[in-house]
Amino acid sequence: MSALFRGFTIALFTVFLFCAQGLAANAASDDWGGQLAELKNEVKSLRALVESQQEEIASLKARSGGIEPAAPGLLLPPRSGSPSLWGARSSELPDISAVGNVIGKTGNDRDESDLENLVMQEAELAFQGYLYPGVRADIIGAYDRENGTYEAELEEAYISFLETPLSNLSVRAGKELLDVGKLNTQHPHHWNFVDRPAVLKSYFGEHGLTGQGANFSYLVPLPFFLQIDCGVWDNDASSHTHEGTILGFSEEMYTSRFWTSFEISEVQELELGISGVKGYGAHASEHTDRLNVGILDITYRHLGKSYERLLLQSEFFFLEREIPDDTLTRFGFYSFAGWRWNKSWDAGVRYDFYESPYPGNFEESFVSGILTYSLSETTKIRLQYRRNVDDDNDAVFLQVVFGLGPHAHPLE
Amino acid sequence: MHKYTRILVWIVFFFMISATAQARSLQVVTTTSDLASIVESIGGSKVSVRNLVKGNRDPHFVEVRPSMVTKVRDADLFVIVGMDLDIWARSLLEAARNPNVRPGGVGYLDTSTRIARLEVPEVEVDPSMGHLHVWGNPHYWLDPLNAERIAEEAAGTLSKLSPEDAAYFESNLAAFREVLKKKMEEWRSLLGPFRGCRLATYHRSWPYFLSRFGLESAGELEPKPGVPPTPAHLQEIVRSVPEREIRLILTEVFYDQNSAKFVSEKTGIPAITVANSVGGTAEAKDYVSMIDAIVKSVAEALKKEAAHA
């Protein structure tokens, strides 16, 4: 009891002594305001020190790859591993994607199938990925609706050697849409319009010009873009069409393309391409049918502010067909002008003309107006009005294109 | 024939000249203008830097053009933002036939690898949630301290590519750090008085910037990342201004300005448009002047708003 009391007294005395000392010191300086300012300054400098140290700690942590607890709210720990290889996908699986192309048609153009219907025109399934450094494979299959039924078709399947012992040369082998002109290599869901321009349909068939073989592509070492492609092909029997105005190729084919591009300014680019296909027409098994098609393609892009883009594109087709007793020379083209004014909206007009690759003087021309709303880069809703100028008939297309999963196409 | 031979000789000659011209400096290609500006500060006279996307366009969506292929083919160093922001560069790299600048090559630099990433999704994400990046929010360059990280990465890679200039790059890095340090003080003192202020932004481009300067996000005009504002969502923002305590609306230059204008007119909250990449506005000439412009316009708008309130 007394020990506790003694301890308490000593503690009280000590506190008193300290207070007295403090009071005495204060009385001596007699300057409360100055003291306060001094303390304030000290706190300020301490705060600055703490802040700068925190910053340093944070930057050190970041440098060592750790977590920087800087942001309030949605901060979650970063995943382990490095994102320096694109995409956080499993290396075991290739990129798998599906593309759907839903088309509704109305109007009085009797050349169109599925009129007054809304149908799933094409569903595409793609497997894409690397096999080895600089070597990749692309396999694209499609269910395509034709005359009311679905046909499964291997659209493209090829292996690409992006580099070869020869610098700037790459090689593709397999089945592919042939690299002639601008539009033929593109899949329909990539186009700025719903339907295949009439001249492409007539000269290359309803599914475009495909072949089995190999393509050699050389990027010429010049200060501007110049790529030369040469291919040797055999056409797939399955893609033959014999109807009406549609011809297409058969048997072996040779293709070549010179593709160049000039950056006129930071926002303007002009692309020019000259390509040719040499081979046989679809009737070669029945009679002489030598077929050559030359294509000149011109694309001009002007990028405005934000998302604005002007696209002018034309392809001119020169066809020469040697049949018994006659050599036909034919011409066709399409021209497209499109303007995108914001992230979502895009409008365009297209003019088509072609001369039939068959004897006789049949020719047709079309005018189209197209309006596109894009939800994302791969999902779009499109409306197209097309008028056959010669037949006075109209067609209206409604298209919904959608893409699921990572889907890539080579530079087009 | 003689004429053609002469033309061919001229072409070869031209090419040789351009090849020797290239040999003098390291050719650097970056996806965005911000990376270009930072790499330029480090590389100085030893590099020639070009960027593929202009600062007034959305770096998420880029149409790959053939002229880009040539640039990447001739590049010694290719720098990307990473975190899937510039994923469009993948097909470009495949067309360019330059294995040195592909992932894993000596001349490939993804500057996001050492960044402390924000908003990394914890759950599996898919497009039903909008345009989300699995690696987290990729707009990290808007934090000046991350610019320092980018600069360090650039100095490291440039030194590897050109070891004889390592000291030069190192001294440029030190100078860049010094500039940033000084500027940081200035930016901090400008925005210091507005600590804790809440801003609504068009897109979620700003978490790195906001958290660095002690500002807070009060939501986006986009209902979900990458989804354009809907009237209902904008109405909801207008209605919830008091509870969200929104003091300012921030829009990036390439997005639609009308949504911010609408909310601003309905509520009286100021709305400003700023560059979020170098070249986005006239003042944003390089990285430092871009941050400078953003900080100044945010501080000015908040000051005016406070005076008004």
Side-chain angles (χ1 to χ4, degrees), chain B residues 169-224:
Chain B
F169 299 138
E170 207 50 50
S171 79
N172 281 349
L173 175 62
F176 185 68
R177 276 207 186 107
E178 201 48 46
V179 171
L180 273 186
K181 204 175 155 195
K182 259 196 206 129
K183 276 286 178 186
M184 261 322 269
E185 273 168 34
E186 190 189 324
W187 295 331
R188 277 222 168 91
S189 71
L190 275 169
L191 289 174
F194 306 107
R195 231 182 154 74
C197 271
R198 294 166 68 81
L199 279 70
T201 62
Y202 186 98
H203 182 68
R204 254 193 114 74
S205 321
W206 303 96
Y208 294 89
F209 176 85
L210 296 179
S211 73
R212 176 57 59 210
F213 293 106
L215 301 167
E216 278 175 38
S217 163
E220 290 81 43
L221 301 189
E222 288 181 337
K224 281 176 180 173

Side-chain angles (χ1 to χ4, degrees), chain A residues 182 219 223-227 259-273 297-304 308-314 411-412, chain B residues 50-54 57 62-72 92:
Chain A
K182 197 76 185 152
L219 188 60
F224 58 92
F225 179 85
L226 175 63
Q227 183 173 302
W259 179 20
T260 181
S261 183
F262 304 96
E263 193 177 27
I264 300 169
S265 76
E266 229 185 340
V267 295
Q268 290 166 292
E269 182 143 345
L270 180 70
E271 285 177 51
L272 292 170
D297 64 82
I298 303 171
T299 305
Y300 172 77
R301 275 194 188 82
H302 183 111
L303 304 176
E308 289 172 2
R309 184 202 65 182
L310 172 71
L311 178 72
L312 304 175
Q313 189 166 70
S314 289
L411 188 71
E412 292 161 340
Chain B
R50 291 194 280 188
N51 54 288
L52 300 176
V53 193
K54 279 189 71 167
R57 292 186 77 89
V62 175
E63 230 174 293
V64 173
R65 305 188 297 278
S67 63
M68 294 178 177
V69 173
T70 330
K71 285 176 191 158
V72 176
L92 180 61

Side-chain angles (χ1 to χ4, degrees), chain A residues 86, chain B residues 31-32 35 59 79-90:
Chain A
W86 270 295
Chain B
T31 52
T32 66
L35 295 179
V79 193
I80 65 162
V81 174
M83 296 170 80
D84 280 354
L85 178 92
D86 28 25
I87 199 161
W88 46 267
R90 193 151 71 162

Side-chain angles (χ1 to χ4, degrees), chain B residues 40 83 87 93 131 138 152 157-158 202 206 239 251-252 264 267 282:
Chain B
E40 209 152 38
M83 296 170 80
I87 199 161
L93 281 177
H131 188 86
E152 285 159 8
T157 313
L158 287 173
Y202 186 98
W206 303 96
R239 192 200 57 73
T251 304
E252 301 81 346
S264 174
T267 59

